[in-house]
Each structure stands twice: as C-alpha cells, then as structure tokens.
Amino acid sequence: MKQLLESSLKSAVLYGQHYLANGKVASYIPELAKADPHQLGLCLITKEKEIYHAGDWLVPFTMQSISKTFSLIAALQTSGYQKVFSKVGMEPTGDGFDSIVQLETKQLIPFNPMINAGAIVTVSCIDSKDPVKEFLDLVHKLCANNEIKINEATYLSEKKAGMRNRSIAYLLESDHILEGDPEIILDHYFKMCSVSVTTKDLAHYAWVLANDGLDPTTGERLIEGWIVRIVKTLMMTCGMYDESGEFAVKAGIPSKSGVGGGIVSVAPNGIGIAAFGPALNKKGNSVGGTHMIEYLSKELNLHYFANQSDITA
Ligand code: DON
C-alpha cells in the first residue's frame, strides 16, 4: 500500500503537469498574479495518519475560497442551523463564484455558502466578539498547525481590488440579509481568504472531515458530525462552482477549491487529500489540481459512487 500511494502521488503530479499550459494564475487580485504557474503539489493522509506527498507540497498559498468551508463551520457552531440557513441556501448555482445576478433575479438570499455572496453571509453569522480569531482558532485546530496566519500583502490586495465583493455585500445589506456593517464583514471575509496554508495543513483538515470530525488516532471529536455532513454535502454539490457537476462525475470526491490554487478533497475510507497548483482553468479551479485529484480518484478507487461493474470511460 505504501508503495502504491507513493508512486500514485508522484504519477498524479506528472499527469497534472500535462494540463498546466491550459491554465492561468488569478490576476483580479494583483498579489495572486505573482504565483508561479508551474508549481504543483499534493499531500494525502491515510486514516492511520500516514502522510504521503509529492511536488510542491510545502509551498504556502492563500486558502481563498477554501476559507468558505471554515467560515461555514464557525457560523454553524456559533449561530446554529436555523439561523445560518435562514440567510443562505443549499442549492448549486451553475454560475461563476462571484456572480451577483441571482440575488436580483431569483431570490434575495445567496444560493449556497460556497459562492462569494453566500460566504459573505456566513462570515456575518459567526457569532463572536472577534470572528477572525474564532476562524483562525478553528483553522489552527483542524489543520493541526498553530503557526498558520494571514498573508498581509494578499489581504491588502484583496481589500483594494474587492469591488465586486463590495457590490455583493451592499446589495445583501440593502435586502436586510447582512447583519452588521458591510465594510467590517468584508474586512473579515478578505482576511479569512488571505490565510496562508500548505497542502500538509489542508490535507489534515480533509482528514478530519473524512473521519466524520473525529481524530481516529485519539478518538477526540474535533467537529460535530452534523456539521461535517453539511460541509461535505455542500462541497460535493457546490464546492467547485459551475464545475461541481462535472467534477462530481469525474472525481466523485467532495472538494473545495480556491483561486490561490488549492483544492481540499474529503475522500472515502478516512483519507484526506489536498492539492496545490496556482494555474487555474476558466471556472477558477486549479487546472493541475483538478486533474491530479481525478487521477488519484481513478488510481486509488476513491469515487464515492464507484461500483464493481464500473468501467470508467
Ligand atoms: O472573493 C474572492 O474573489 C476571493 N477572495 C476568493 C474567490 C475564490 O477563491 C474562488 N475560487 N475558486
């Protein structure tokens, strides 16, 4: 098994490299445009807590939209199910991650917590004197790394360039969905997106989710089971934006991406995976990352809906 995992991760990185020419680093946040589009890294943690890795697994990047899963957990923990889902829905959009159109044409509350509008709402639902500290404490615990912190340059860059998010927040405010000052909520959102992590950190987080919120090595409960169920389901249905359906067919693993190039994937059998590759496809997902996860899914039989007579095309 050890050899299979080591060689699969190495081959996945080589496989991902073939697709990098189809991608571009994010440029709408100037600080992200500095990333090296050739980087690719992977980390996988087994149920028994064995760590496997390949490529640029320890290169730091900002979690961006992956923060949306942590802010959802923090909102559910501090405000509860009823409150959070009275302000944000559970449906995929089929639109881009920063789309504003449905808030005007379909319903006032954002479709789900994985798009920008939904995450701005969940951030506003973190019921704490210091929501950013609440968020960082959660990240430290679930990634098992107390050194994780905000990348200040990215935070300032996001804050300066964040006009679209500002438009979303003010529209939500005008419809009485946001509680609190939009500028303060946006500031918290930008800080959370700018938290710097590595695939090792995110693979640990995925591992906790893959083990239903328990650390299987100690039996300690780190997140409540009902919250894990919600987060994993929304990752599967909405985590890759308007590519969620295709990714569910091809990889079949609940996953969440970020424009920093990260993808966190909660695999079956207690396996946590994180991928990194800053070159993005047109939907804003890591082009190398999506292909590496698809490769691992086939190679290690990690598709949630795979079956014995499944001959994958
Ligand atoms: O709000 C934004 O646009 C970014 N901070 C995060 C967007 C993002 O990561 C979308 N992911 N693929």
Side-chain angles (χ1 to χ4, degrees):
M1 192 62 184
K2 201 173 152 69
Q3 268 179 346
L4 170 71
L5 288 172
E6 275 170 2
S7 73
S8 297
L9 261 66
K10 279 196 189 110
S11 313
V13 170
L14 292 176
Y15 179 75
Q17 280 167 352
H18 293 304
Y19 295 89
L20 293 185
N22 305 338
K24 283 201 178 101
V25 298
S27 57
Y28 74 101
I29 299 170
E31 199 58 29
L32 296 183
K34 297 181 182 166
D36 175 355
H38 300 104
Q39 288 181 325
L40 273 188
L42 265 180
C43 181
L44 179 152
I45 306 184
T46 63
K47 183 167 186 142
E48 295 73 30
K49 214 174 184 174
E50 286 159 3
I51 301 183
Y52 295 87
H53 53 83
D56 301 305
W57 75 300
L58 289 178
V59 170
F61 56 93
T62 53
M63 60 164 82
Q64 297 299 331
S65 282
I66 294 168
S67 69
K68 291 167 176 155
T69 62
F70 289 99
S71 49
L72 176 60
I73 295 171
L76 289 169
Q77 284 178 337
T78 57
S79 286
Y81 179 96
Q82 297 297 343
K83 164 93 186 268
V84 172
F85 288 109
S86 70
K87 291 182 169 289
V88 62
M90 304 176 185
E91 296 300 337
T93 65
D95 284 332
F97 62 82
D98 57 357
S99 177
I100 208 165
V101 65
Q102 288 167 328
L103 294 174
E104 264 295 85
T105 58
K106 291 208 172 146
Q107 61 182 36
L108 298 183
I109 67 168
F111 265 54
N112 69 69
M114 300 291 141
I115 52 169
N116 290 12
I120 290 168
V121 170
T122 55
V123 168
S124 78
C125 289
I126 300 175
D127 190 4
S128 162
K129 275 198 197 109
D130 187 344
V132 177
K133 183 177 182 303
E134 183 86 27
F135 175 93
L136 272 175
D137 287 347
L138 185 68
V139 170
H140 291 165
K141 181 165 102 171
L142 300 182
C143 296
N145 180 359
N146 289 336
E147 305 296 313
I148 292 174
K149 54 183 191 297
I150 294 165
N151 176 323
E152 285 296 321
T154 305
Y155 156 60
L156 293 173
S157 187
E158 294 219 29
K159 199 172 163 104
K160 201 167 168 202
M163 293 312 164
R164 207 174 164 83
N165 285 324
R166 230 162 245 124
S167 312
I168 292 173
Y170 278 92
L171 184 58
L172 291 166
E173 163 77 354
S174 78
D175 288 327
H176 313 291
I177 311 292
L178 274 192
E179 280 170 38
D181 180 337
E183 285 302 332
I184 294 176
I185 295 164
L186 282 164
D187 190 63
H188 294 162
Y189 170 75
F190 295 138
K191 282 184 173 149
M192 292 173 192
C193 287
S194 305
V195 167
S196 180
V197 287
T198 65
T199 64
K200 185 182 180 194
D201 301 323
L202 290 182
H204 190 281
Y205 171 46
W207 174 77
V208 174
L209 293 174
N211 288 286
D212 300 329
L214 278 178
D215 177 339
T217 62
T218 61
E220 188 192 355
R221 176 155 294 285
L222 300 170
I223 324 176
E224 289 173 79
W226 66 274
I227 295 182
V228 175
R229 167 174 52 81
I230 292 170
V231 173
K232 279 172 66 176
T233 311
L234 288 169
M235 283 169 111
M236 187 69 125
T237 53
C238 313
M240 306 296 281
Y241 310 112
D242 42 338
E243 200 178 6
S244 298
E246 182 176 339
F247 194 70
V249 170
K250 291 183 175 169
I253 307 175
S255 299
K256 181 76 204 82
S257 62
V259 289
I263 300 180
V264 54
S265 293
V266 184
N269 310 321
I271 296 173
I273 307 175
F276 164 61
L280 309 179
N281 65 21
K282 289 202 172 68
K283 312 271 178 158
N285 296 319
S286 169
V287 69
T290 48
H291 282 93
M292 291 193 297
I293 301 290
E294 282 169 27
Y295 182 92
L296 288 179
S297 173
K298 274 188 198 157
E299 203 56 25
L300 305 174
N301 196 21
L302 299 177
H303 198 298
Y304 263 77
F305 305 111
N307 56 75
Q308 291 204 327
S309 59
D310 183 6
I311 302 167
T312 312

